[in-house]
Amino acid sequence: MTGRRYFFDSLSMVLRNLKTARLRVWLTVLGIALGAGALIAVTAIGRGGSRRVELEMGDIGIHRVWLYPSSQTDNGFDQQDAAALTQQLREYAYVSGTTEVKCEAEYGTQKTETVLVATQSGLPMMEDLVFSQGRFFSAWEEANAQDVIVLEGRLAKLLFPQGGTILGERVALGGHSAVVVGVVEKRTARGETGMAYVPAKTYGQWYGDAHLDYISLVPKAGLSVEGMAVLGKAALQGQSGIEVRAQTLQGEREIADTVLNVFSWVIYSIAIISLLVGGTGIMNVMYMTVQTRTREIGIRKAIGATNRQITLQFLQESAILAAVGGLIGCGLGSFMAYLSCTL
């Protein structure tokens, strides 16, 4: 009997044996499926949680440098300082000058308190903004002080509870109105109502105020936050003549990295334990299978079967059970991971 023929004959015998021991087969497959499903689900949920933490840390500015006037007696920065710094550091960082004020947003009968953020058109390159409608205001709209506004998703829902497309609608902000050009789904910790973004130059014309509360920098690829803090501080002091204070979230970043590392090790440990449990389960089941079939093994050896041929049969049986259980486990684990994302 050739090796190929024996392989298929042995496989046919394995399938017949599995068919006659359905309860044992399904219990074995169930154990493998649960182990594989738990491994996939825990790993996917863990990586998703880790990514969520990274996004939340990015939203609070963990990769950003803030430049402030060093004392209350200073006049502060203006839009010309931000423009000059943008030109000077264009190869090293994204720059945005910002002013934040609280005001009342109004559309029709809907009113709510919000934070009005006067900023620059380069903000989307500094933050991971996802737009559900429209876009951010352009450099041309900023330079020409156009009355345009971008709403955060939470604020848009409060002003437009009916939903639908709101692009082109005019929203009143502290006695002024602007056309909605975009809705951004952005997570922030600055109040429950969300924020509204307008061009800094538009804000200056509205209120006759060109000052900036702060200038923020996000280093481009390959540059560190600490190095950018030193470079940005020196450049801004040199051009504005104002003593500058640089602030970063380096301490918070170190804490976040520590938390993520611990979280990753916990996930990997659970994954390893799941693999060990699943492997041990398969090993024990196959060991018991051999123990309960010693009579069959003896008869087969008596009629000329070799140890290698008998081993092949049990390996085929193990492979079939592991493959079926693994496929079911993959589907189960993927469904559990998807379900956790929707909750």
Side-chain angles (χ1 to χ4, degrees), residues 8 58 160 286-287:
F8 288 106
F160 301 89
M286 297 314 300
Y287 176 76

mmCIF file of all heavy atoms in Angstrom, residues 8 58 160 286-287:
data_model
loop_
_atom_site.group_PDB
_atom_site.id
_atom_site.type_symbol
_atom_site.label_atom_id
_atom_site.label_comp_id
_atom_site.label_asym_id
_atom_site.label_seq_id
_atom_site.Cartn_x
_atom_site.Cartn_y
_atom_site.Cartn_z
ATOM 1 N N PHE A 8 -5.188 8.425 2.576
ATOM 2 C CA PHE A 8 -6.606 8.657 2.331
ATOM 3 C C PHE A 8 -7.474 7.556 2.944
ATOM 4 O O PHE A 8 -8.585 7.817 3.406
ATOM 5 C CB PHE A 8 -6.865 8.786 0.830
ATOM 6 C CG PHE A 8 -6.363 10.073 0.245
ATOM 7 C CD1 PHE A 8 -5.220 10.108 -0.539
ATOM 8 C CD2 PHE A 8 -7.023 11.265 0.507
ATOM 9 C CE1 PHE A 8 -4.751 11.298 -1.064
ATOM 10 C CE2 PHE A 8 -6.565 12.459 -0.013
ATOM 11 C CZ PHE A 8 -5.421 12.483 -0.797
ATOM 12 N N GLY A 58 -4.313 61.449 22.669
ATOM 13 C CA GLY A 58 -4.046 62.382 21.583
ATOM 14 C C GLY A 58 -5.006 63.553 21.584
ATOM 15 O O GLY A 58 -4.632 64.685 21.271
ATOM 16 N N PHE A 160 -29.338 71.346 16.101
ATOM 17 C CA PHE A 160 -30.132 70.775 15.021
ATOM 18 C C PHE A 160 -30.631 69.387 15.427
ATOM 19 O O PHE A 160 -30.161 68.365 14.905
ATOM 20 C CB PHE A 160 -29.304 70.679 13.735
ATOM 21 C CG PHE A 160 -28.772 71.999 13.244
ATOM 22 C CD1 PHE A 160 -27.534 72.466 13.676
ATOM 23 C CD2 PHE A 160 -29.514 72.771 12.372
ATOM 24 C CE1 PHE A 160 -27.032 73.680 13.231
ATOM 25 C CE2 PHE A 160 -29.027 73.996 11.914
ATOM 26 C CZ PHE A 160 -27.787 74.447 12.360
ATOM 27 N N MET A 286 -7.122 13.847 23.395
ATOM 28 C CA MET A 286 -6.491 12.835 22.546
ATOM 29 C C MET A 286 -5.843 11.723 23.367
ATOM 30 O O MET A 286 -5.842 10.558 22.966
ATOM 31 C CB MET A 286 -5.454 13.497 21.627
ATOM 32 C CG MET A 286 -6.053 14.511 20.660
ATOM 33 S SD MET A 286 -7.556 13.919 19.824
ATOM 34 C CE MET A 286 -6.940 12.473 18.974
ATOM 35 N N TYR A 287 -5.335 12.071 24.531
ATOM 36 C CA TYR A 287 -4.760 11.040 25.415
ATOM 37 C C TYR A 287 -5.853 10.068 25.858
ATOM 38 O O TYR A 287 -5.672 8.847 25.840
ATOM 39 C CB TYR A 287 -4.107 11.702 26.619
ATOM 40 C CG TYR A 287 -3.566 10.714 27.633
ATOM 41 C CD1 TYR A 287 -2.386 10.018 27.388
ATOM 42 C CD2 TYR A 287 -4.248 10.478 28.831
ATOM 43 C CE1 TYR A 287 -1.890 9.118 28.304
ATOM 44 C CE2 TYR A 287 -3.765 9.564 29.752
ATOM 45 C CZ TYR A 287 -2.583 8.889 29.488
ATOM 46 O OH TYR A 287 -2.103 7.991 30.405
#
